């Protein structure tokens, strides 16, 4: 499988081919992989104004108990909350975020990962059975699979954790959820990645970097989650 140069969309985090001028998911016009500064400034100003208004309305509501200002503070706080919610849902990347949240259904499902074995010319593949242990839902497209048995590379690297990321531009793991099959790039993770990630952030920085196993295919072998 030949995968050309790729980058991530700075707005939604989807995979974008380097030669494409726009993101297929959120419609952002890419300029060297950087979002337009005008949109960035508007987003920052919007958040700052709403944060200041929320703090002011909260203080007014708390310290003006029993007066007319209490009602005014509560009304301002409600308006700020509705305005922020509407703005959040009207953002171009909101459909992408919503779709990523739907991929949480993949967690604990049984999958089979087919990775290349040996040299690229040999065209040999190895099947790795496991279950989805972690699903990214916000800023990137990635799932982590815990294999039934440890995977050992030619460099004597050993781990039972595989990170899978899309290889097709604009693709997301909703494809795997709907079609039960998807082309991915496979990375071998440190076996302590998940436990350290949850317990000790500093220790995570000392983990060995991930090792690329190249492109492959992942299949959902059981539509029902494991118990």
């Amino acid at each position: 499988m030949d995968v050309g140069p790729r980058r991530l969309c700075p707005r939604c985090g989807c995979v974008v081919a380097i030669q494409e001028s726009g993101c297929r998911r959120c419609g952002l016009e890419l300029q060297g992989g950087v979002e337009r500064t005008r949109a960035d400034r508007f987003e920052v100003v919007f958040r700052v104004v709403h944060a200041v208004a929320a703090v002011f309305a909260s203080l007014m509501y708390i310290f003006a108990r029993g007066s007319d200002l209490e009602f005014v503070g509560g009304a301002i706080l409600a308006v700020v909350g509705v305005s922020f919610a509407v703005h959040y849902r009207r953002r171009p990347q909101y459909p992408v975020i919503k779709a990523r949240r739907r991929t949480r259904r993949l967690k604990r499902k049984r999958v089979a990962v087919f990775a290349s074995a040996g040299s690229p010319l040999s065209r040999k593949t190895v099947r790795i059975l496991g279950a989805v242990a972690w699903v990214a839902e916000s800023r990137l497209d990635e799932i982590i699979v815990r294999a039934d048995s440890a995977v050992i590379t030619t460099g004597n690297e050993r781990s039972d954790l595989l990170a899978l990321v899309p290889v097709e531009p604009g693709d997301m793991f909703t494809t795997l959820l709907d079609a039960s099959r998807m082309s991915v790039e496979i990375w071998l993770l440190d076996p302590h990645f998940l436990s350290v990630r949850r317990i000790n952030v500093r220790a995570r920085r000392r983990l060995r970097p991930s090792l690329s196993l190249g492109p492959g295919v992942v299949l959902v072998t059981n539509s029902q989650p494991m118990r």
Side-chain angles (χ1 to χ4, degrees):
M1 186 183 301
D2 184 16
V3 180
R6 298 167 297 135
R7 55 182 171 176
L8 295 180
C9 172
R11 174 184 287 174
C12 66
C14 285
V15 178
V16 181
I18 197 69
Q19 67 271 15
E20 293 185 352
S21 60
C23 177
R24 298 183 184 182
R25 285 289 175 181
C26 66
L28 175 67
E29 294 183 11
L30 302 175
Q31 300 176 348
V34 180
E35 189 174 357
R36 291 181 174 179
T37 56
R38 184 176 181 181
D40 284 340
R41 290 196 297 268
F42 172 79
E43 189 68 25
V44 171
V45 172
F46 181 88
R47 290 177 178 271
V48 170
V49 170
H50 279 64
V52 172
V55 172
F56 176 76
S58 299
L59 294 177
M60 182 185 300
Y61 182 81
I62 293 174
F63 293 104
R65 290 292 181 88
S67 65
D68 295 337
L69 291 179
E70 180 183 359
F71 174 77
V72 175
I76 295 176
L77 192 60
V79 171
V80 170
V82 171
S83 174
F84 188 83
V86 171
H87 172 75
Y88 180 75
R89 284 166 174 78
R90 289 178 61 88
R91 295 168 66 192
Q93 61 269 39
Y94 178 70
V96 179
I97 297 173
K98 191 174 181 180
R100 286 196 181 124
R101 288 175 179 172
R102 190 166 69 91
T103 58
R104 71 181 68 177
R105 301 176 188 175
L106 289 171
K107 194 171 183 180
R108 293 188 295 274
K109 286 189 176 182
R110 297 287 299 175
V111 296
V113 181
F114 293 86
S116 301
S119 63
L121 298 178
S122 64
R123 295 185 178 180
K124 293 182 180 180
T125 59
V126 57
R127 186 179 68 167
I128 305 171
L129 299 177
V132 179
W134 183 79
V135 180
E137 301 176 7
S138 56
R139 295 185 177 275
L140 73 164
D141 294 300
E142 182 182 50
I143 64 174
I144 296 179
V145 174
R146 187 181 296 277
D148 295 340
S149 57
V151 179
I152 304 176
T153 67
T154 54
N156 205 25
E157 297 284 345
R158 181 188 183 96
S159 176
D160 62 345
L161 293 182
L162 299 176
L164 310 181
V165 296
V167 295
E168 296 294 336
D171 206 357
M172 300 171 61
F173 278 102
T174 49
T175 301
L176 179 61
L177 189 64
D178 298 332
S180 299
R181 178 188 178 92
M182 184 176 175
S183 298
V184 293
E185 187 172 351
I186 307 169
W187 295 79
L188 186 69
L189 296 181
D190 188 283
H192 303 293
F193 181 87
L194 287 181
S195 58
V196 172
R197 182 180 180 276
R198 295 174 180 174
I199 298 173
N200 191 337
V201 177
R202 292 183 178 179
R204 182 187 175 191
R205 299 176 182 174
R206 297 196 297 267
L207 293 177
R208 292 172 297 175
S210 303
L211 175 65
S212 176
L213 300 183
V217 176
V218 57
L219 304 177
V220 176
T221 59
N222 184 4
S223 59
Q224 298 297 327
M226 295 181 60
R227 295 188 178 183

